[in-house]
Amino acid sequence: LNIDLYKEYEFNEEEAKAGKITYIYEYGKPVDYFVLIVNGNAELETGKEKIISEIGSFCYFGVSALYVR
């Protein structure tokens, strides 16, 4: 298999000040991977209203990617 089983993201203050944002998921773009935040936190933007919530350790997304098809 040629896939990343583990990927680490770190906050880069200089990139954030420059307006560069790292997205794990983007609205309307299908993916086939599961994400578990093990340590730290992230911002979650949801809905048409773009409500922003802060999520932390052991939050997860992409459960459907774990199902056998």
Side-chain angles (χ1 to χ4, degrees):
L1 295 174
N2 189 18
I3 59 173
D4 290 332
L5 295 177
Y6 173 81
K7 181 140 182 146
E8 187 171 328
Y9 292 94
E10 290 191 28
F11 178 74
N12 184 319
E13 192 170 340
E14 290 178 12
E15 289 181 356
K17 286 180 181 176
K20 183 173 185 278
I21 300 172
T22 300
Y23 291 101
I24 298 172
Y25 290 109
E26 290 185 59
Y27 179 77
K29 292 186 179 180
V31 297
D32 62 352
Y33 53 86
F34 173 81
V35 172
L36 170 65
I37 298 175
V38 176
N39 189 17
N41 55 34
E43 281 188 356
L44 173 67
E45 185 177 299
T46 56
K48 293 179 183 177
E49 299 82 15
K50 299 189 182 227
I51 297 170
I52 296 178
S53 305
E54 189 169 300
I55 55 173
S57 299
F58 301 104
C59 286
Y60 54 89
F61 305 93
V63 173
S64 62
L66 301 175
Y67 297 139
V68 177
R69 298 178 192 180

